[in-house]
Amino acid sequence: MNRWHTDYLPHPLYRPARRFVPPLADWPDQAGYDALLDRARAAGAPLPAGLRFVCELEPGAYYEMHIGATGEVPTRARNWHDWFNALAWLAWPRAKAALNRRHVRAIARGEAKRGPLRDAATLLDECGVIVAVADPRLGQLLDDMRWRELFIESRDDWGRRIAARTLGHALMETGLAPHLGWCGKALIVEVGEDFFGLDGDGQTALLDAELAARLDDDGFLASPRALCPLPLLGIPGWWPDNEDPAFYDNADYFRPTRRAKSATVTA
């Protein structure tokens, strides 16, 4: 899927990144990526000072180490995965920087070929959905995979006491063609009641700061099993078919028991 378009933007999956997408007729070139960063900085996004998306860069060191040392993010031209990675940096600048620092620390300790800490960071970076809950009961329903209680019986709580915000750029890419079986990896973050009085950008900024602080502690999110499977088409407002309660009868998609949590990601 190489044709440039922005038809995806209205979907709630892209809410955190939506405001950073300029009107473009075609894929951005290097000047376009530089302008993207300039606009985000001018709008007050707390981006790392040296951050730059560098087209067709082939780093001499590990990807994460190169970013950590130079601020340069290797970015393939006309590539959805890397386009959404750039948008994720703009929407979640503190968390993305903290994820990079986590990789750098792990590699410095000898975890170059991945291990539980880096696997968890990669899953969050690629497929992560931050689920903010003002009621711990709702987070428990998600963790227990009690889908009918979460999506049907608690339907009115979505947007009021629970919300999903996309961080993972691979998830944004797969969102171009959603399908049954489409899942994210959810990280549950408890928030105060006042969280839902903020606008969407304020909510993302609060979660970004909170997540960055937690990721700087390597005791947090120490393995992929800390992330919950989340069938995205079940989220109210994310898929028209889920207006019918019978949609949730599909036990192949809404599995009643915890599925294996993969420690690998294909980018």
Side-chain angles (χ1 to χ4, degrees), residues 76-147:
R76 293 166 291 187
R78 307 181 72 85
N79 183 280
W80 282 114
H81 191 84
D82 289 5
W83 165 248
F84 287 126
N85 184 46
L87 291 182
W89 269 102
L90 303 185
W92 302 89
R94 295 182 176 93
K96 289 283 283 186
L99 282 166
N100 179 252
R101 290 193 296 271
R102 174 170 280 219
H103 280 292
V104 169
R105 289 194 303 272
I107 292 170
R109 291 195 301 265
E111 198 179 316
K113 294 185 177 180
R114 299 267 179 93
L117 190 72
R118 290 194 65 209
D119 281 341
T122 299
L123 276 175
L124 182 64
D125 191 25
E126 297 277 354
C127 304
V129 180
I130 312 306
V131 179
V133 295
D135 181 349
R137 178 188 65 86
L138 296 169
Q140 194 62 54
L141 292 177
L142 170 56
D143 192 50
D144 291 343
M145 302 174 71
R146 290 151 63 186
W147 306 123

Side-chain angles (χ1 to χ4, degrees), residues 246-262:
F247 180 72
Y248 298 95
D249 292 340
N250 184 340
D252 288 333
Y253 186 35
F254 300 100
R255 299 187 184 187
T257 57
R258 187 167 299 279
R259 69 195 71 193
K261 293 187 175 178
S262 172

